[in-house]
Short mmCIF file of all heavy atoms in Angstrom, two decimals:
data_model
loop_
_atom_site.label_atom_id
_atom_site.label_comp_id
_atom_site.label_asym_id
_atom_site.label_seq_id
_atom_site.Cartn_x
_atom_site.Cartn_y
_atom_site.Cartn_z
N PHE A 29 129.06 -5.45 111.07
CA PHE A 29 127.81 -5.12 111.67
C PHE A 29 126.89 -6.46 111.64
O PHE A 29 127.15 -7.27 110.99
CB PHE A 29 127.01 -3.94 111.23
CG PHE A 29 126.78 -3.93 109.77
CD1 PHE A 29 125.57 -4.49 109.33
CD2 PHE A 29 127.70 -3.50 108.84
CE1 PHE A 29 125.34 -4.50 107.99
CE2 PHE A 29 127.49 -3.47 107.51
CZ PHE A 29 126.20 -3.98 107.05
N TYR A 30 125.95 -6.35 112.64
CA TYR A 30 125.07 -7.56 112.75
C TYR A 30 123.72 -7.31 112.28
O TYR A 30 123.16 -6.17 112.47
CB TYR A 30 125.11 -7.94 114.17
CG TYR A 30 126.43 -8.40 114.72
CD1 TYR A 30 127.22 -7.32 115.35
CD2 TYR A 30 126.86 -9.57 114.70
CE1 TYR A 30 128.40 -7.66 115.77
CE2 TYR A 30 128.21 -9.92 115.09
CZ TYR A 30 128.88 -8.93 115.81
OH TYR A 30 130.17 -9.28 116.14
N ARG A 31 123.09 -8.34 111.66
CA ARG A 31 121.75 -8.36 111.28
C ARG A 31 121.19 -9.65 111.71
O ARG A 31 121.84 -10.45 112.36
CB ARG A 31 121.61 -8.34 109.72
CG ARG A 31 122.19 -7.15 109.10
CD ARG A 31 122.47 -7.14 107.60
NE ARG A 31 121.61 -8.07 106.90
CZ ARG A 31 120.83 -7.67 105.85
NH1 ARG A 31 120.97 -6.43 105.44
NH2 ARG A 31 120.04 -8.51 105.21
N LYS A 32 119.89 -9.72 111.70
CA LYS A 32 119.31 -11.00 112.33
C LYS A 32 119.87 -12.28 111.79
O LYS A 32 119.86 -12.53 110.61
CB LYS A 32 117.85 -11.05 112.03
CG LYS A 32 117.04 -12.11 112.67
CD LYS A 32 115.66 -12.07 112.49
CE LYS A 32 114.87 -13.24 113.08
NZ LYS A 32 114.72 -13.32 114.55
N ASN A 33 120.67 -12.87 112.76
CA ASN A 33 121.35 -14.17 112.38
C ASN A 33 122.47 -14.00 111.28
O ASN A 33 122.55 -14.93 110.33
CB ASN A 33 120.40 -15.21 112.08
CG ASN A 33 119.56 -15.77 113.35
OD1 ASN A 33 120.08 -15.77 114.41
ND2 ASN A 33 118.27 -15.77 113.02
N GLN A 34 122.98 -12.84 111.26
CA GLN A 34 123.96 -12.52 110.12
C GLN A 34 125.04 -11.54 110.60
O GLN A 34 124.70 -10.62 111.34
CB GLN A 34 123.19 -12.09 108.86
CG GLN A 34 124.02 -12.07 107.53
CD GLN A 34 123.09 -11.82 106.53
OE1 GLN A 34 122.72 -10.54 106.20
NE2 GLN A 34 122.63 -12.77 105.62
N ILE A 35 126.17 -11.77 110.11
CA ILE A 35 127.38 -10.82 110.19
C ILE A 35 127.69 -10.37 108.90
O ILE A 35 127.86 -11.07 107.96
CB ILE A 35 128.51 -11.56 110.97
CG1 ILE A 35 128.11 -11.93 112.40
CG2 ILE A 35 129.63 -10.55 111.01
CD1 ILE A 35 129.13 -12.68 113.08
N VAL A 36 127.97 -9.04 108.82
CA VAL A 36 128.47 -8.45 107.59
C VAL A 36 129.79 -7.80 107.88
O VAL A 36 129.86 -6.94 108.86
CB VAL A 36 127.43 -7.45 106.93
CG1 VAL A 36 127.89 -6.80 105.63
CG2 VAL A 36 126.04 -8.11 106.70
N VAL A 37 130.78 -8.08 106.96
CA VAL A 37 132.09 -7.52 107.22
C VAL A 37 132.63 -6.85 105.83
O VAL A 37 132.48 -7.25 104.91
CB VAL A 37 133.13 -8.73 107.54
CG1 VAL A 37 134.56 -8.12 107.67
CG2 VAL A 37 132.67 -9.62 108.69
N LEU A 38 133.11 -5.54 106.17
CA LEU A 38 133.77 -4.72 105.04
C LEU A 38 135.22 -4.70 105.38
O LEU A 38 135.58 -4.21 106.48
CB LEU A 38 133.18 -3.30 105.00
CG LEU A 38 133.90 -2.32 104.09
CD1 LEU A 38 133.61 -2.83 102.69
CD2 LEU A 38 133.22 -1.03 104.29
N ALA A 39 136.00 -5.33 104.57
CA ALA A 39 137.51 -5.35 104.71
C ALA A 39 138.19 -4.54 103.61
O ALA A 39 137.58 -4.37 102.53
CB ALA A 39 137.98 -6.72 104.76
N ARG A 40 139.31 -4.06 103.89
CA ARG A 40 140.06 -3.46 102.70
C ARG A 40 141.65 -3.83 103.00
O ARG A 40 141.99 -4.01 104.14
CB ARG A 40 139.79 -1.82 102.76
CG ARG A 40 140.47 -1.26 104.03
CD ARG A 40 140.23 0.30 103.86
NE ARG A 40 140.88 1.12 104.83
CZ ARG A 40 140.69 2.32 105.09
NH1 ARG A 40 140.04 2.98 104.29
NH2 ARG A 40 141.53 2.92 106.08
N TRP A 41 142.26 -3.69 101.90
CA TRP A 41 143.71 -3.91 101.87
C TRP A 41 144.40 -2.71 101.07
O TRP A 41 143.88 -2.32 100.13
CB TRP A 41 144.05 -5.18 101.06
CG TRP A 41 143.60 -6.50 101.63
CD1 TRP A 41 144.41 -7.34 102.32
CD2 TRP A 41 142.40 -7.02 101.51
NE1 TRP A 41 143.67 -8.39 102.64
CE2 TRP A 41 142.38 -8.23 102.25
CE3 TRP A 41 141.09 -6.57 100.99
CZ2 TRP A 41 141.20 -9.05 102.26
CZ3 TRP A 41 139.98 -7.46 100.96
CH2 TRP A 41 140.07 -8.70 101.63
N LEU A 42 145.43 -2.33 101.78
CA LEU A 42 146.24 -1.18 101.14
C LEU A 42 147.01 -1.82 99.91
O LEU A 42 147.54 -2.85 100.08
CB LEU A 42 147.31 -0.61 102.07
CG LEU A 42 148.03 0.60 101.46
CD1 LEU A 42 147.16 1.69 101.03
CD2 LEU A 42 149.02 1.07 102.58
N SER A 43 146.87 -1.22 98.79
CA SER A 43 147.52 -1.84 97.45
C SER A 43 148.22 -0.71 96.88
O SER A 43 147.74 0.39 96.49
CB SER A 43 146.30 -2.17 96.67
OG SER A 43 146.84 -2.91 95.54
N LYS A 44 149.54 -1.08 96.48
CA LYS A 44 150.35 -0.10 95.83
C LYS A 44 151.15 -1.02 94.79
O LYS A 44 152.03 -1.67 95.12
CB LYS A 44 151.40 0.47 96.83
CG LYS A 44 150.80 1.37 97.77
CD LYS A 44 151.99 2.05 98.74
CE LYS A 44 151.30 2.99 99.69
NZ LYS A 44 152.35 3.46 100.60
N SER A 45 150.53 -0.97 93.65
CA SER A 45 151.15 -1.86 92.65
C SER A 45 151.67 -1.02 91.45
O SER A 45 150.85 -0.39 90.64
CB SER A 45 150.04 -2.78 92.07
OG SER A 45 150.54 -3.53 90.94
N SER A 46 152.99 -1.01 91.21
CA SER A 46 153.56 -0.31 89.93
C SER A 46 153.18 -1.08 88.77
O SER A 46 152.96 -0.44 87.75
CB SER A 46 155.00 -0.08 90.20
OG SER A 46 155.58 -1.38 90.22
N ALA A 47 153.07 -2.36 88.83
CA ALA A 47 152.60 -3.23 87.66
C ALA A 47 151.35 -2.92 87.16
O ALA A 47 151.03 -2.77 86.03
CB ALA A 47 152.75 -4.63 87.92
N ALA A 48 150.31 -2.64 88.05
CA ALA A 48 148.99 -2.40 87.72
C ALA A 48 148.68 -0.81 87.74
O ALA A 48 147.55 -0.44 87.44
CB ALA A 48 148.06 -3.04 88.66
N ASP A 49 149.77 -0.06 88.09
CA ASP A 49 149.63 1.40 88.23
C ASP A 49 148.38 1.66 89.05
O ASP A 49 147.46 2.61 88.70
CB ASP A 49 149.63 2.08 86.87
CG ASP A 49 149.83 3.61 87.00
OD1 ASP A 49 150.44 4.05 88.01
OD2 ASP A 49 149.35 4.31 86.04
N PHE A 50 148.39 1.20 90.25
CA PHE A 50 147.36 1.41 91.20
C PHE A 50 147.89 1.74 92.66
O PHE A 50 148.87 1.21 93.09
CB PHE A 50 146.36 0.28 91.39
CG PHE A 50 145.31 0.54 92.35
CD1 PHE A 50 144.19 1.47 92.14
CD2 PHE A 50 145.43 0.03 93.75
CE1 PHE A 50 143.21 1.66 93.08
CE2 PHE A 50 144.41 0.36 94.71
CZ PHE A 50 143.41 1.16 94.36
N GLN A 51 147.24 2.84 93.31
CA GLN A 51 147.57 3.22 94.67
C GLN A 51 146.25 3.61 95.31
O GLN A 51 145.52 4.35 94.86
CB GLN A 51 148.54 4.42 94.63
CG GLN A 51 149.69 4.01 93.89
CD GLN A 51 150.99 4.61 94.58
OE1 GLN A 51 150.81 5.48 95.57
NE2 GLN A 51 152.22 4.23 94.32
N GLY A 52 145.91 2.79 96.45
CA GLY A 52 144.76 3.05 97.20
C GLY A 52 144.36 1.80 97.94
O GLY A 52 145.31 0.99 98.35
N TYR A 53 143.05 1.54 98.02
CA TYR A 53 142.59 0.51 98.78
C TYR A 53 141.72 -0.48 97.93
O TYR A 53 140.97 -0.14 97.00
CB TYR A 53 141.76 0.81 99.96
CG TYR A 53 142.44 1.45 101.07
CD1 TYR A 53 142.54 2.91 101.15
CD2 TYR A 53 143.05 0.71 101.90
CE1 TYR A 53 143.31 3.43 102.31
CE2 TYR A 53 143.81 1.30 103.13
CZ TYR A 53 144.01 2.57 103.09
OH TYR A 53 144.68 3.26 104.23
N PHE A 54 141.84 -1.74 98.16
CA PHE A 54 141.05 -2.78 97.45
C PHE A 54 139.97 -3.19 98.62
O PHE A 54 140.40 -3.43 99.71
CB PHE A 54 141.97 -4.00 97.21
CG PHE A 54 141.08 -5.26 96.70
CD1 PHE A 54 140.59 -5.22 95.37
CD2 PHE A 54 140.75 -6.26 97.44
CE1 PHE A 54 139.83 -6.30 94.84
CE2 PHE A 54 140.02 -7.19 97.05
CZ PHE A 54 139.65 -7.32 95.71
N TYR A 55 138.66 -3.13 98.29
CA TYR A 55 137.59 -3.39 99.14
C TYR A 55 136.87 -4.75 98.87
O TYR A 55 136.65 -5.06 97.79
CB TYR A 55 136.57 -2.26 99.14
CG TYR A 55 137.01 -1.08 99.95
CD1 TYR A 55 137.73 -0.09 99.36
CD2 TYR A 55 136.63 -0.88 101.20
CE1 TYR A 55 138.09 1.02 99.95
CE2 TYR A 55 137.01 0.34 101.80
CZ TYR A 55 137.74 1.35 101.32
OH TYR A 55 138.10 2.42 101.92
N GLN A 56 136.24 -5.34 99.94
CA GLN A 56 135.43 -6.52 99.85
C GLN A 56 134.48 -6.49 100.91
O GLN A 56 134.70 -6.35 102.04
CB GLN A 56 136.30 -7.71 99.87
CG GLN A 56 135.48 -9.01 99.78
CD GLN A 56 136.49 -10.27 99.78
OE1 GLN A 56 137.66 -10.25 99.97
NE2 GLN A 56 135.93 -11.37 99.73
N VAL A 57 133.19 -6.84 100.46
CA VAL A 57 132.04 -6.93 101.44
C VAL A 57 131.74 -8.44 101.55
O VAL A 57 131.61 -9.06 100.54
CB VAL A 57 130.78 -6.22 101.07
CG1 VAL A 57 129.50 -6.51 101.90
CG2 VAL A 57 131.15 -4.72 100.78
N THR A 58 131.73 -9.01 102.64
CA THR A 58 131.39 -10.32 102.85
C THR A 58 130.34 -10.53 103.96
O THR A 58 130.49 -9.87 105.01
CB THR A 58 132.67 -11.12 103.21
OG1 THR A 58 133.72 -10.80 102.41
CG2 THR A 58 132.47 -12.76 103.33
N ALA A 59 129.35 -11.44 103.74
CA ALA A 59 128.20 -11.79 104.71
C ALA A 59 128.37 -13.23 105.11
O ALA A 59 128.70 -14.04 104.36
CB ALA A 59 126.92 -11.43 104.20
N TYR A 60 127.96 -13.41 106.38
CA TYR A 60 127.90 -14.86 106.90
C TYR A 60 126.56 -14.99 107.65
O TYR A 60 126.17 -14.24 108.41
CB TYR A 60 128.99 -15.01 107.83
CG TYR A 60 130.39 -14.73 107.33
CD1 TYR A 60 130.94 -13.38 107.39
CD2 TYR A 60 131.07 -15.70 106.58
CE1 TYR A 60 132.19 -13.17 106.79
CE2 TYR A 60 132.35 -15.41 106.04
CZ TYR A 60 132.92 -14.13 106.11
OH TYR A 60 134.07 -13.85 105.52
N ASP A 61 126.01 -16.21 107.39
CA ASP A 61 124.75 -16.57 108.28
C ASP A 61 125.28 -17.24 109.38
O ASP A 61 126.21 -18.08 109.51
CB ASP A 61 123.90 -17.53 107.47
CG ASP A 61 123.06 -16.82 106.34
OD1 ASP A 61 122.86 -15.59 106.44
OD2 ASP A 61 122.58 -17.43 105.36
N LEU A 62 124.72 -16.91 110.58
CA LEU A 62 124.92 -17.56 111.89
C LEU A 62 124.03 -18.79 112.06
O LEU A 62 122.84 -18.68 111.84
CB LEU A 62 124.61 -16.55 113.04
CG LEU A 62 124.70 -17.20 114.46
CD1 LEU A 62 126.15 -17.64 114.84
CD2 LEU A 62 124.18 -16.12 115.35
N ASN A 63 124.67 -19.93 112.13
CA ASN A 63 124.04 -21.20 112.26
C ASN A 63 124.13 -21.74 113.79
O ASN A 63 125.34 -21.83 114.29
CB ASN A 63 124.61 -22.27 111.28
CG ASN A 63 124.72 -21.73 109.93
OD1 ASN A 63 123.64 -21.41 109.36
ND2 ASN A 63 125.93 -21.75 109.40
N ARG A 64 123.09 -21.95 114.28
CA ARG A 64 123.16 -22.46 115.83
C ARG A 64 122.42 -23.76 115.93
O ARG A 64 121.25 -23.91 115.41
CB ARG A 64 122.47 -21.44 116.77
CG ARG A 64 123.06 -20.06 116.84
CD ARG A 64 122.32 -19.23 117.75
NE ARG A 64 122.40 -17.77 117.40
CZ ARG A 64 122.52 -16.85 118.30
NH1 ARG A 64 122.38 -17.21 119.52
NH2 ARG A 64 122.72 -15.63 117.92
N ASN A 65 122.88 -24.61 116.66
CA ASN A 65 122.26 -25.84 117.19
C ASN A 65 122.60 -25.92 118.61
O ASN A 65 123.27 -25.14 119.18
CB ASN A 65 122.47 -27.09 116.31
CG ASN A 65 123.87 -27.61 116.39
OD1 ASN A 65 124.43 -27.55 117.34
ND2 ASN A 65 124.36 -28.08 115.21
N SER A 66 122.05 -27.06 119.18
CA SER A 66 122.27 -27.16 120.62
C SER A 66 123.68 -27.19 121.18
O SER A 66 124.00 -26.88 122.39
CB SER A 66 121.47 -28.44 121.17
OG SER A 66 121.97 -29.53 120.57
N LYS A 67 124.57 -27.71 120.24
CA LYS A 67 125.92 -27.71 120.77
C LYS A 67 126.98 -26.86 119.95
O LYS A 67 127.98 -26.68 120.49
CB LYS A 67 126.46 -29.31 120.55
CG LYS A 67 125.69 -30.17 121.54
CD LYS A 67 126.22 -31.47 121.30
CE LYS A 67 125.43 -32.45 122.27
NZ LYS A 67 126.00 -33.75 122.35
N ASN A 68 126.58 -26.48 118.71
CA ASN A 68 127.64 -25.77 117.96
C ASN A 68 127.10 -24.53 117.43
O ASN A 68 125.94 -24.32 117.21
CB ASN A 68 128.17 -26.63 116.83
CG ASN A 68 128.78 -27.90 117.28
OD1 ASN A 68 129.67 -27.77 118.08
ND2 ASN A 68 128.46 -29.00 116.72
N ILE A 69 128.05 -23.53 117.17
CA ILE A 69 127.79 -22.39 116.42
C ILE A 69 128.73 -22.44 115.18
O ILE A 69 129.95 -22.65 115.43
CB ILE A 69 128.04 -21.07 117.32
CG1 ILE A 69 126.89 -21.03 118.42
CG2 ILE A 69 128.00 -19.85 116.44
CD1 ILE A 69 127.21 -19.91 119.43
N SER A 70 128.23 -22.10 114.01
CA SER A 70 129.10 -22.02 112.88
C SER A 70 128.57 -20.86 111.96
O SER A 70 127.52 -20.25 112.18
CB SER A 70 129.05 -23.30 112.16
OG SER A 70 127.78 -23.57 111.60
N PHE A 71 129.39 -20.55 111.00
CA PHE A 71 128.97 -19.51 110.01
C PHE A 71 129.11 -20.07 108.68
O PHE A 71 130.04 -20.80 108.28
CB PHE A 71 130.00 -18.29 110.32
CG PHE A 71 129.76 -17.51 111.57
CD1 PHE A 71 130.39 -18.04 112.63
CD2 PHE A 71 128.86 -16.57 111.69
CE1 PHE A 71 130.22 -17.41 113.85
CE2 PHE A 71 128.75 -15.88 113.01
CZ PHE A 71 129.30 -16.37 113.95
N THR A 72 128.21 -19.59 107.85
CA THR A 72 128.16 -19.97 106.40
C THR A 72 128.36 -18.74 105.60
O THR A 72 127.57 -17.74 105.66
CB THR A 72 126.87 -20.65 106.06
OG1 THR A 72 126.66 -21.78 106.81
CG2 THR A 72 126.89 -21.11 104.49
N LYS A 73 129.28 -18.61 104.61
CA LYS A 73 129.56 -17.45 103.81
C LYS A 73 128.37 -17.38 102.91
O LYS A 73 127.90 -18.35 102.29
CB LYS A 73 130.74 -17.61 103.02
CG LYS A 73 131.12 -16.41 102.28
CD LYS A 73 132.53 -16.53 101.67
CE LYS A 73 132.94 -15.31 101.01
NZ LYS A 73 134.35 -15.45 100.45
N ARG A 74 127.79 -16.08 102.68
CA ARG A 74 126.70 -15.90 101.86
C ARG A 74 127.25 -15.27 100.50
O ARG A 74 127.50 -14.14 100.26
CB ARG A 74 125.79 -14.84 102.37
CG ARG A 74 124.80 -15.23 103.45
CD ARG A 74 123.72 -16.16 103.03
NE ARG A 74 122.94 -15.58 102.00
CZ ARG A 74 121.81 -14.79 102.22
NH1 ARG A 74 121.42 -14.68 103.38
NH2 ARG A 74 121.17 -14.29 101.25
N ASN A 75 127.61 -16.17 99.56
CA ASN A 75 128.24 -15.85 98.27
C ASN A 75 127.31 -14.92 97.51
O ASN A 75 127.85 -14.04 96.77
CB ASN A 75 128.73 -17.10 97.50
CG ASN A 75 129.89 -17.74 98.12
OD1 ASN A 75 130.76 -17.12 98.59
ND2 ASN A 75 129.97 -19.13 98.22
N ASP A 76 125.99 -15.13 97.63
CA ASP A 76 125.08 -14.31 96.82
C ASP A 76 125.26 -12.84 97.11
O ASP A 76 125.24 -11.92 96.26
CB ASP A 76 123.56 -14.75 96.94
CG ASP A 76 123.17 -14.86 98.34
OD1 ASP A 76 123.96 -14.95 99.29
OD2 ASP A 76 121.87 -14.74 98.45
N ILE A 77 125.45 -12.57 98.45
CA ILE A 77 125.58 -11.27 98.94
C ILE A 77 126.94 -10.76 98.46
O ILE A 77 127.07 -9.55 97.96
CB ILE A 77 125.34 -11.10 100.44
CG1 ILE A 77 123.85 -11.32 100.72
CG2 ILE A 77 125.75 -9.80 100.95
CD1 ILE A 77 123.56 -11.41 102.26
N THR A 78 127.95 -11.39 98.83
CA THR A 78 129.32 -11.03 98.46
C THR A 78 129.44 -10.70 96.91
O THR A 78 129.96 -9.69 96.49
CB THR A 78 130.30 -12.03 98.76
OG1 THR A 78 130.25 -12.27 100.21
CG2 THR A 78 131.75 -11.77 98.48
N ASP A 79 128.84 -11.66 96.06
CA ASP A 79 128.98 -11.43 94.67
C ASP A 79 127.99 -10.22 94.29
O ASP A 79 128.37 -9.52 93.22
CB ASP A 79 128.37 -12.65 93.97
CG ASP A 79 129.25 -13.80 94.09
OD1 ASP A 79 130.34 -13.71 94.42
OD2 ASP A 79 128.80 -15.06 93.77
#
Side-chain angles (χ1 to χ4, degrees):
F29 60 88
Y30 299 91
R31 298 164 29 122
K32 184 172 175 78
N33 296 316
Q34 196 171 75
I35 294 175
V36 179
V37 178
L38 174 63
R40 71 180 184 183
W41 293 260
L42 182 59
S43 181
K44 295 180 183 177
S45 172
S46 57
D49 194 19
F50 176 78
Q51 300 222 346
Y53 287 99
F54 175 78
Y55 281 87
Q56 181 179 0
V57 177
T58 312
Y60 305 89
D61 285 338
L62 171 64
N63 310 300
R64 300 178 202 220
N65 65 35
S66 61
K67 295 185 180 184
N68 294 318
I69 294 175
S70 64
F71 293 87
T72 304
K73 189 174 182 177
R74 289 286 304 270
N75 290 321
D76 58 337
I77 293 175
T78 301
D79 292 346

